[in-house]
């Protein structure tokens, strides 16, 4: 490069001089000379990036655009201008930026209104090159609402217009809004016939359009299944495009289309075109024979396809040794490539992260439901080690995918007891939780919830690592998902825990935060908080410290507009309170609360009746101090009559519970 | 289809069709095997079609056309294992071979070990499950393990049981094997497979029953799609085959080949132009090329009489020295007479159908295969001309039909009045025929014998527009006469030079044309196709070139022939890629 630079420095002046000459000729008063100048410029810039950069610096673009837009220019001149601009766009990203800054897009779009096909094609070719560059904001295609319908109308003109326009659509359809705009302007009807075009390029770009249009779009997908192309259903056209003798790019894109249609609910997951065609095609894309990019896309698409369907997961898990095939994704860059081939090493390095995250995603999807598959995955060579190191990789994408994989596997009781413990996965997980973007935190904390389940041997070491603080801070997050996971993990932690742990939790969380969570707008958060309370108050709670507040909270919830589940949980808390010695008084002295219990004993929902009866039964339990007074007071309040009535209840549990309570009076 | 030998040989070929009453299933099987394995020669290397009743252990029972296998041993120990092989080994020319086995029953409960599906070589012990021994490979249902010539298996795929369909695919290009379960590929199970393996199943549990599908039914797995991939791979390999540094020579060589081909087939103008533009010399005088061109034109347009005459004029000693060639030309002349295209019958007023008048296309690179008439078709047949020929050829013995073997074989000969086309003569001739037959049959017609299961079509089907010898009576007479001359020439040749089965068959086939009311639509009608002039033409051309010490075959045809030969050699030596490299694919 250094040598190159010196050389360029020497010749710079010379090049600039000739470049200036080209630009000067654009201003010649004789239109014939201008035309010849543009043609010469065209020949000079082909394949010469430096020349292109020079011309741009010297201001050729505005002049070319001016000539292109002038109605006084000859059609030939205008076409040649579009061709030169297209050539300039083929250069570096900087070139594209300069062109876009000169407002090339509206000028070329304006040019499309001309009636000359050759000129239109030249404009489209240039537009295509500009739009497929990552530096061009796609929104520019949608600023003028007349552009999309006009492009649709140009589709019928020639194979070239078809190729360029579909390529533009395929690259510029990035959001649901874009999908809707294209859909509303008849993209499906206009593009579907192009799938059987004699030109491979047109077929391929049309196919790509459908893949971006159908992605997570039920409206498009539902429409697609009913489209006929030359009398054939679109899904069958896609199936044909997945035949094994078709180019890989075509097979892969067709598989994506069918995957998206399936995930959008337009094709059933047990349809043959999914089970026998799309799934095997995507598995093939993961094979070692494919290019690294294809393997990444294949694995990601497959993961997406089968995520919600256990049957597809089972089939994929036995297809072509997929589980062990994926292990190969972790072997890049391979040791061989490092020595022999620098280019190859560079290529491998570039794709290594992508490969790893794709493999983790696919493992996560494969193992999300079936215990046998999870076992198979964890038994794959070095799998747990790979996840562990994936959790601390620099690439966020890999970390996220690794933790997703871990989360999927953590649904297995078996794995929690064995491989998770053996590999101390909690350690990197805890580290990950210290400092990570929300996306990663959600997955990591959700995994942590599972690791804190009572049968998990990792629970102990996690507790000792000071996780409580961390979880409490999660409950203060703005993200409802993180709040749920934080409180959920605490709930799991408090389940049948030592008094010491419970105290720690209460102290770390603080009553204020607890009450905030009890009034959380997210029902899930509320439920888990009540769950936490229930776990904290089980085993004869000592209510001396926060009794009053808790009673307040319970009253609040019972009075509020909440679901049956929330109220049931609350009554259960009350029953737990009624089980503790000092706590009983809190209820007995609160007539308001007793009236509420009475009300719920007569509620139409059996669950609530049961929970309320449980509560009363705890209050009148014989063997405890002061039971006589409590029994008397409650009799006065009419509870005996209610209990008596409940012994006749149709629900056997309720009836049983009421009878047991009545026995306390008889004894 | 071969009957007892007869005194009048050429009648034999009349009895060609409807040889076997094939069941629908067999037909479907044949069709599927042909389309899956087009490169396989069924004579040389027959495909597996069922399990072999001879190549099995005694605990194995077969039923349902030897497709269903059941176990009849005790199944107590591995010593009770039993296997069966297919009738034939897998031919390499399949390229990719596939069969499926459906588990009808996994057998009685409580038996832990059960079936294995796979491959084994001839001679491997059948008192074992596939995979346990050397040159034996299996996938076992009880544990899903694969057994590669070893008593201990490797984890391979899922287990399988009643209702599952297990497929086994052998790739003869890279010598690997993979299995499928219910249409899903399970991945490579074995590599480095030896050649000549047989499909094999082994059972070990009382009550176990499996059904094989060697192509009798559509497969659950899409094997065609897999084959498409390999065909594409092989063809890409051929397309990308490096020619190396000899690239310049390569082009010169191709140009030479094309030029010699043009000269060989006497396209003088084209040859001249081509030679000029590629800077080549032509190794034959232009006049000589033009002579050959003239003769070839005559042959290809069916004017055999003139062709023979011209040959005799231009190359006086050629046909004298080569009597077999002359005989072949004459037989062709006879056929062209029947066709109505030969000059001798044309000048007798016979109107020849236009399509036959001139040769439609250019000669092919090499002889296209003769399209044999499907044997299951039904033809309206008439012995009218045979009769006429017999009797006027003064062989006129009354028992001629029995002698000819016609009646021995109880074949169908129908002479319905409505189908006879020479109305004036028909009555008489049919009567004549009836007389001939009446000795063995009470009425004049012999209906199709049920043993051959031939359905008789309605007889009023569309008449052909083409007429014998162009429809002229005089031409027919001339043709008949010519036939007699040919017969005596044949006898003469035999006396002089001994028996020649090729000549005999040629004559027999040609005469058989007369056995049908519509020779064009008869089983021997292919002879009338103008394509059949090509081999005659090229033989004659080669003979002329040989007298000039020029190669009798153009190098291009030689190369094509060599390529085809290479492919069949590959098939014999076990190179599966020959399946996907048909020479025809490269001759457009």
């Amino acid at each position: 490069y250094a040598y190159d630079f010196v050389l360029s420095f020497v010749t710079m002046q010379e090049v600039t001089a000739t470049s200036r000459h080209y630009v000067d000729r654009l201003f010649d008063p004789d239109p014939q000379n201008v035309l010849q100048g543009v043609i010469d410029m065209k020949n000079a810039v082909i394949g010469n990036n430096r020349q292109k950069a020079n011309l741009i610096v010297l201001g050729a673009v505005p002049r070319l655009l001016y000539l292109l837009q002038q109605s006084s220019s000859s059609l030939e001149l205008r076409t040649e201008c579009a061709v030169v601009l297209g050539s300039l766009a083929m250069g570096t990203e900087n070139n594209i930026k300069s062109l876009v800054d000169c407002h090339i897009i509206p000028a070329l779009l304006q040019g499309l209104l001309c009636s000359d096909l050759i000129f239109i094609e030249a404009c489209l070719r240039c537009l295509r090159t500009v739009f497929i560059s990552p530096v061009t904001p796609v929104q520019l295609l949608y600023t003028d609402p007349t552009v999309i319908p006009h492009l649709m109308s140009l589709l019928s003109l020639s194979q070239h217009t078809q190729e360029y326009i579909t390529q533009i659509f395929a690259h510029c359809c990035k959001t649901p809004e874009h999908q809707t705009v294209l859909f509303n302007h008849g993209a499906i009807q206009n593009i579907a016939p192009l799938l059987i075009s004699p030109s491979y390029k047109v077929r391929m770009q049309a196919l790509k359009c459908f893949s971006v249009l159908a992605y997570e779009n039920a409206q498009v997908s539902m429409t697609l299944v009913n489209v006929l192309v030359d009398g054939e259903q679109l899904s069958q056209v896609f199936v044909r495009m997945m035949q094994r003798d078709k180019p890989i790019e075509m097979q892969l894109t067709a598989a994506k289309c069918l995957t998206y249609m399936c995930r959008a609910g337009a094709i059933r997951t047990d349809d043959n075109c999914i089970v026998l065609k799309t799934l095997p095609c995507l598995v093939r894309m993961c094979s070692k024979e494919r290019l690294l990019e294809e393997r990444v896309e294949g694995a990601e698409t497959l993961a997406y396809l089968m995520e919600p369907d256990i049957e597809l997961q089972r089939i994929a898990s036995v297809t072509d040794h997929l589980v062990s095939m994926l292990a190969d994704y972790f072997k890049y860059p391979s040791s061989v490539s490092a020595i022999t081939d620098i280019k190859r090493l560079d290529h491998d390095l570039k794709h290594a992260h992508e490969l790893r995250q794709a493999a983790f995603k696919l493992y996560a999807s494969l193992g999300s439901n079936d215990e046998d598959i999870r076992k198979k995955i964890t038994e794959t060579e070095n799998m747990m080690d790979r996840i562990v190191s994936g959790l601390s990789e620099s690439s966020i994408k890999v970390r996220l995918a690794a933790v997703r994989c871990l989360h999927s596997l953590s649904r297995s009781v078996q794995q929690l007891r064995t491989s998770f413990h053996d590999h101390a996965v909690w350690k990197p997980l805890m580290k990950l939780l210290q400092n990570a973007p929300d996306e990663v935190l959600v997955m990591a904390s959700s995994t942590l919830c599972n690791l804190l389940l009572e049968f998990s041997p990792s629970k102990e070491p996690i507790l000792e690592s000071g996780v409580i603080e961390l979880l409490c801070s999660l409950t203060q997050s703005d993200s409802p998902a993180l709040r749920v996971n934080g409180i959920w993990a605490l709930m799991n932690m408090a389940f049948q825990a030592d008094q010491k742990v419970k105290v720690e939790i209460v102290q770390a969380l603080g009553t204020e935060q607890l009450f905030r969570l009890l009034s959380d707008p997210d029902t899930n958060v509320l439920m888990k908080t009540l769950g936490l309370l229930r776990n904290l108050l089980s085993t004869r709670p000592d209510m001396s410290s926060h009794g009053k507040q808790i009673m307040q909270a319970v009253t609040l919830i019972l009075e509020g507009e909440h679901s049956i589940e929330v109220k049931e949980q609350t009554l259960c808390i009350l029953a737990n309170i009624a089980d503790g010695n000092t706590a009983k008084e809190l209820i007995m002295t609160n007539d308001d609360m007793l009236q509420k219990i009475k009300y719920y004993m007569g509620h139409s929902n059996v669950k609530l009746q049961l929970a309320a009866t449980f509560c009363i039964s705890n209050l009148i339990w014989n063997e405890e101090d002061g039971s006589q007074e409590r029994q008397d007071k409650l009799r006065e309040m009419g509870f005996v009559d209610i209990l008596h009535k409940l012994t006749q209840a149709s629900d056997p549990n309720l009836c049983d519970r009421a009878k047991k309570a009545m026995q306390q009076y008889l004894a | 289809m071969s009957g007892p030998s007869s005194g009048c040989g050429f009648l034999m070929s009349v009895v060609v069709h409807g040889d076997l009453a094939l069941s629908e299933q067999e037909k479907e099987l044949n069709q599927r095997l042909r389309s899956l394995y087009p490169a396989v020669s069924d004579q040389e290397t027959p495909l597996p079609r069922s399990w072999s009743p001879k190549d099995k252990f005694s605990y194995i029972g077969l039923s349902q056309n030897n497709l269903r296998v059941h176990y009849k041993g005790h199944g107590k120990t591995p010593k009770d294992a039993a296997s069966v092989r297919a009738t034939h080994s897998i031919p390499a020319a399949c390229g990719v071979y596939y069969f499926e086995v459906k588990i009808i029953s996994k057998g009685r409960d409580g038996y832990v070990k059960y079936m294995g599906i796979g491959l084994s070589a001839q001679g491997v012990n059948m008192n074992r499950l596939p995979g346990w021994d050397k040159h034996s490979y299996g996938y076992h249902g009880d544990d899903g393990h694969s057994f590669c010539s070893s008593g201990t298996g490797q984890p391979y795929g899922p287990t399988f049981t009643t209702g599952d369909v297990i497929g086994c695919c052998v790739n003869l290009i890279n010598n690997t094997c993979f299995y499928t379960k219910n249409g899903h590929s399970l991945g490579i199970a074995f590599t480095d497979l030896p050649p000549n393996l047989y499909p094999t199943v082994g059972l070990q549990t009382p009550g176990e029953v499996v059904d094989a599908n060697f192509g009798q039914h559509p497969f659950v797995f899409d094997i065609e799609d897999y084959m498409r991939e390999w065909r594409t791979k092989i063809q890409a390999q051929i397309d990308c085959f490096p020619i190396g540094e000899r690239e310049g020579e390569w082009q010169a060589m191709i140009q030479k080949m094309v030029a010699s081909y043009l000269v060989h087939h006497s396209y003088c103008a084209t040859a001249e132009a081509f030679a000029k533009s590629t800077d080549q010399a032509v190794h034959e005088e232009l006049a000589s090329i033009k002579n050959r061109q003239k003769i070839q034109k005559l042959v290809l347009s069916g004017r055999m009489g003139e062709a023979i005459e011209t040959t005799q004029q231009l190359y006086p000693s050629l046909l004298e020295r080569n009597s077999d060639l002359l005989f072949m030309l004459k037989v062709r002349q006879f056929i062209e007479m029947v066709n109505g295209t030969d000059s001798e019958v044309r000048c007798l007023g016979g109107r020849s159908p236009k399509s036959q008048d001139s040769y439609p296309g250019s000669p092919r690179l090499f002889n296209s295969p003769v399209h044999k008439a499907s044997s299951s078709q039904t033809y309206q047949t008439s012995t009218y001309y045979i009769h006429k020929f017999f009797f006027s050829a003064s062989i006129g013995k009354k028992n001629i039909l029995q002698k000819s073997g016609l009646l021995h074989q109880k074949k169908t000969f129908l002479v319905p009045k409505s189908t006879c086309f020479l109305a004036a003569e028909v009555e008489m001739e049919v009567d004549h025929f009836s007389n001939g037959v009446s000795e063995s049959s009470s009425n004049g017609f012999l209906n199709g014998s049920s043993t051959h299961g031939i359905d008789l079509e309605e007889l009023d089907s569309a008449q052909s527009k083409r007429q014998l010898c162009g429809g002229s009576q005089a031409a027919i007479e001339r043709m008949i006469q010519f036939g007699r001359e040919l017969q005596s020439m044949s006898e003469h040749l035999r006396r002089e030079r001994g028996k020649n089965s090729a000549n005999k068959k040629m004559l027999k086939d040609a005469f058989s044309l007369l056995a049908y009311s519509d020779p064009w639509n008869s089983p021997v009608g292919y002879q009338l196709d103008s394509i059949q002039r090509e081999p005659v033409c090229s033989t004659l051309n080669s003979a002329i070139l040989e007298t000039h010490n020029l190669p009798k075959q153009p190098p291009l045809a030689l190369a094509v022939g060599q390529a085809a030969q290479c492919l069949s050699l590959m098939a014999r030596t076990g190179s599966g890629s020959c399946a996907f490299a048909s020479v025809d694919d490269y001759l457009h």
Side-chain angles (χ1 to χ4, degrees), chain B residues 23 48 125 280 303 317 346 431 460-461 472 479 493 503 555:
Chain B
S23 72
N125 187 356
Q280 293 183 79
R303 291 153 68 180
S317 58
R346 269 153 55 110
D431 287 343
D460 56 358
S461 58
S472 145
M479 178 268 290
L493 271 180
N503 283 352

Side-chain angles (χ1 to χ4, degrees), chain A residues 419-440:
Chain A
S419 57
F420 274 55
H421 188 57
D422 298 343
H423 288 86
V425 295
W426 63 271
K427 278 186 193 165
L429 193 66
M430 288 296 293
K431 217 171 141 197
L432 195 61
L433 280 162
Q434 308 297 330
N435 179 26
D438 275 8
E439 233 182 334
V440 176

Side-chain angles (χ1 to χ4, degrees), chain A residues 145-166:
Chain A
T146 64
V147 167
I148 300 293
H150 186 59
L151 286 174
M152 292 288 175
S153 74
L154 294 178
L155 274 174
S156 58
L157 291 190
S158 74
Q159 278 186 13
H160 282 128
T161 63
Q162 289 166 357
E163 182 194 333
Y164 303 143
I165 293 170
T166 45

Side-chain angles (χ1 to χ4, degrees), chain B residues 291-358:
Chain B
N291 283 338
R292 286 192 293 112
Q293 189 183 34
K294 187 173 167 191
I295 293 168
Q296 287 187 55
K297 269 188 185 160
L298 289 170
V299 175
L300 291 179
S301 58
R303 291 153 68 180
M304 283 307 300
E306 286 170 78
I308 295 170
E309 215 169 294
T310 314
T311 310
Q312 280 163 341
Q313 270 170 20
L314 292 171
Y315 308 99
S317 58
L318 177 70
L319 295 179
E320 271 168 45
R321 274 186 285 118
N322 201 340
S323 47
D324 279 340
L325 177 62
L326 179 62
F327 182 71
M328 181 179 117
L329 296 176
K330 293 245 179 196
V331 171
R332 187 65 213 172
Q333 187 177 2
F334 175 80
I335 294 166
E336 297 298 354
M337 281 179 161
V338 174
N339 219 353
T341 40
D342 189 71
S343 350
E344 281 199 53
V345 300
R346 269 153 55 110
C347 66
L348 289 170
R351 181 189 55 81
S352 66
K354 270 198 176 145
S355 62
Q356 302 284 326
D357 207 24
S358 59

Side-chain angles (χ1 to χ4, degrees), chain A residues 209-229:
Chain A
C209 275
F210 284 120
S211 83
V212 293
L213 281 168
Y215 181 66
E216 292 190 333
N217 192 316
Q219 186 186 33
V220 170
S221 297
M222 291 296 185
T223 313
L224 285 181
V225 281
N226 295 317
V227 170
L228 294 181
V229 180

